[in-house]
Amino acid sequence: MPCSLADVRSAAIDGRAQNAFFKKEQLKKLHETLVENVSQIQDAISSDTGHRLSEVKLEYCLALECVAKCFGAIDPKSSLHDEYAVARSEDAPDAREAVGIIVIEPTTHTFLFSLVSALAPALAAGNCIIVEQTMLKTPRVVLDIISRALDRDIFHVTSKQLSDAEIDHRHIRVLQSGTSNASLGGQIVSQAESRVVAVIERDADLQAAAEAIVRARFSLGGRSPYAPDLVLVNEWVKKKFLTAVTQCAVRFAPDTTETLSKADQHKHGLANKVVEERRCRVISSDGSGLIVDVEDRATFLLQSKVKEACIAVYGIRSMDDAIDIASSHGRHLALYVFTAMPAAAKYIAQFIDTDVAFINQIPVEILFGPANPGGKVLLRTHAERYDATQFSLPSPQYASHTKDGQMLSSLLSDVSSRELRKLEQKAMAPLPEVKRKNWRTIGFFEQGILIGGSLLLTTVITCTVVLCYYTVKFVRPGH
């Protein structure tokens, strides 16, 4: 067994990484080292991914911001005060303790930010870290830089998946690629294979929707887990939307000839597969991605998550049609709704099963990093996927006695107590009646019925008045 793994276990047992000053020092060193090696890191990312320069720089900046935020959240004075609360006969209801060891299996998508988004809060919670390495260039460069920054006893890199027995200490695994192993211990699993759907209603701002869809799907090589896998567009505006998407796609061409060559290889391979299948019509294969009009829902593009720069557009007849189609794919990682009517957005978001819904927007910050872990609310600020509480355990400490506890303690030994009878009567008292207001809010479809009914009634009244007028005019004597 590697000595460094044994050192990490010893450090976790000793709680070496839990001191607030130590945590701040480690995060500061990590930040400084990432800044000192900016060129090497960005060159490695660019070489591995072929991302545009702006995308590489944004990923780098988001990673630094994540470290800085975790650094700023640690207050040694407050931590020391809370640690000795019981010594002052005070309660510490929010006290937490580190898990011990956090095992990170990072995704290859935006590797730097994905790794740091878990690493920084895990360090801030006072844990030791084990990272499983891949063979790409970026991980080797980044992990080597991080190894030089952090204390040797709290950070270890391995090329294989360690068993629970090998770790031999309380730990949590962060699985960013979404592959869960039930035989292993506690896991925080990203929903990496969950699909993302966008719904474009006929009243939507088509230009804004097209720009958002193209930006999400064609940025970062089309590999973001939050890029839309399927775009459902109302048939009335599908042609205009496809035109807008095609125009927007030109702006997302790769920066360099080498990157363009790589993008073309993937794009043409996918386009050939689409043509051979004959279930989609290729609208455009220019720029940095593929745009297709889905004619048959049996196409392979709708059977699994899309991991390339490809926008698949399918025409829908109504909102209910969109809901039925989306529901066939199970629960979604995200839903994007584009419509000018808030009531319509509410209706669609309510009936499409999804972890999160965004109305008339696709936030750029969520395109970086791994898919959000299951069961956790997506934090949009700085594209966060994790926080320190996920890497710590609640360990409250209480020194005071509650009034209810003291009362119950006295009643426990006195069955005939008057206070006990009063407590029983209070507990058995009926709950208040549920009162509903007589009025109700007019829903989306009720509004449509009322508007349609009003138009029909207006037409009938107008026709009746005109008919009566001419009837009287031609029937009156003397005419």
Side-chain angles (χ1 to χ4, degrees), residues 10 16 26 47 68 130-131 158 210 223 255 284 289 294 305 369 410-411 440:
S10 298
R16 200 172 309 167
Q26 294 301 300
S47 173
I130 296 175
V131 178
T158 178
R223 290 182 286 273
D255 288 338
S284 172
V294 177
K305 191 166 181 65
S410 64
L411 296 178
R440 61 187 293 268

Side-chain angles (χ1 to χ4, degrees), residues 7 122 185 239 274 286 324 360 365 381:
D7 291 340
K239 186 175 181 180
V274 168
D286 296 331
D324 290 340
N360 293 321
E365 59 267 28
T381 307

Side-chain angles (χ1 to χ4, degrees), residues 24 27 66-75:
K24 286 188 80 78
L27 288 169
C66 182
V67 176
K69 184 172 183 180
C70 291
F71 174 86
I74 301 173
D75 183 354

Side-chain angles (χ1 to χ4, degrees), residues 195 197 330-336 348-349 352-357:
R195 294 167 63 79
V197 64
R331 186 170 177 84
H332 292 76
L333 181 64
L335 164 67
Y336 309 123
I348 295 171
I352 291 182
D353 194 14
T354 181
D355 287 351
V356 62

Side-chain angles (χ1 to χ4, degrees), residues 27 33 40 67 107 180 207 234 239 242 245 355:
L27 288 169
T33 306
Q40 186 180 2
V67 176
T107 178
S180 177
Q207 186 62 34
N234 190 287
K239 186 175 181 180
L242 286 171
V245 167
D355 287 351

Side-chain angles (χ1 to χ4, degrees), residues 1-232:
M1 180 181 295
C3 180
S4 56
L5 180 56
D7 291 340
V8 168
R9 186 189 306 109
S10 298
I13 294 172
D14 296 342
R16 200 172 309 167
Q18 297 183 27
N19 179 274
F21 288 102
F22 181 84
K23 291 188 290 187
K24 286 188 80 78
E25 288 172 357
Q26 294 301 300
L27 288 169
K28 181 175 174 55
K29 289 179 181 178
L30 175 60
H31 189 274
E32 290 175 345
T33 306
L34 291 176
V35 171
E36 291 170 359
N37 294 273
V38 54
S39 297
Q40 186 180 2
I41 292 172
Q42 292 186 6
D43 288 346
I45 295 174
S46 181
S47 173
D48 261 349
T49 65
H51 291 170
R52 294 180 299 147
L53 181 59
S54 59
E55 296 169 347
V56 173
K57 288 185 176 295
L58 277 175
E59 179 187 355
Y60 175 77
C61 291
L62 286 171
L64 290 179
E65 284 185 5
C66 182
V67 176
K69 184 172 183 180
C70 291
F71 174 86
I74 301 173
D75 183 354
K77 184 177 180 180
S78 176
S79 298
L80 188 63
H81 181 270
D82 294 341
E83 181 181 350
Y84 285 90
V86 172
R88 301 188 304 272
S89 298
E90 297 175 1
D91 294 338
D94 300 323
R96 305 185 69 87
E97 63 180 21
V99 168
I101 296 176
I102 304 300
V103 183
I104 304 175
E105 298 181 21
T107 178
T108 55
H109 170 65
T110 56
F111 175 86
L112 174 64
F113 175 69
S114 295
L115 172 62
V116 172
S117 68
L119 173 66
L123 287 173
N127 295 284
C128 299
I129 312 296
I130 296 175
V131 178
E132 294 189 355
Q133 185 177 6
T134 67
M135 298 307 294
L136 293 175
K137 180 179 179 181
T138 303
R140 294 199 303 273
V141 170
V142 171
L143 291 173
D144 181 60
I145 291 171
I146 293 176
S147 297
R148 298 199 303 266
L150 300 179
D151 188 291
R152 174 182 176 275
D153 292 341
I154 69 166
F155 185 78
H156 173 63
V157 177
T158 178
S159 58
K160 67 170 187 174
Q161 186 179 69
L162 299 174
S163 66
D164 292 347
E166 288 176 303
I167 297 173
D168 195 24
H169 187 73
R170 186 173 66 192
H171 63 279
I172 287 179
R173 297 177 188 268
V174 180
L175 308 179
Q176 295 185 344
S177 296
T179 304
S180 177
N181 189 333
S183 66
L184 299 177
Q187 302 174 2
I188 299 176
V189 185
S190 293
Q191 306 301 299
E193 296 303 315
S194 294
R195 294 167 63 79
V196 177
V197 64
V199 179
I200 317 294
E201 264 298 285
R202 61 190 299 180
D203 62 348
D205 183 335
L206 297 182
Q207 186 62 34
E211 289 178 359
I213 296 293
V214 170
R215 183 187 302 112
R217 187 74 267 177
F218 287 175
S219 295
L220 303 169
R223 290 182 286 273
S224 172
Y226 284 95
D229 301 295
L230 175 61
V231 183
L232 302 174

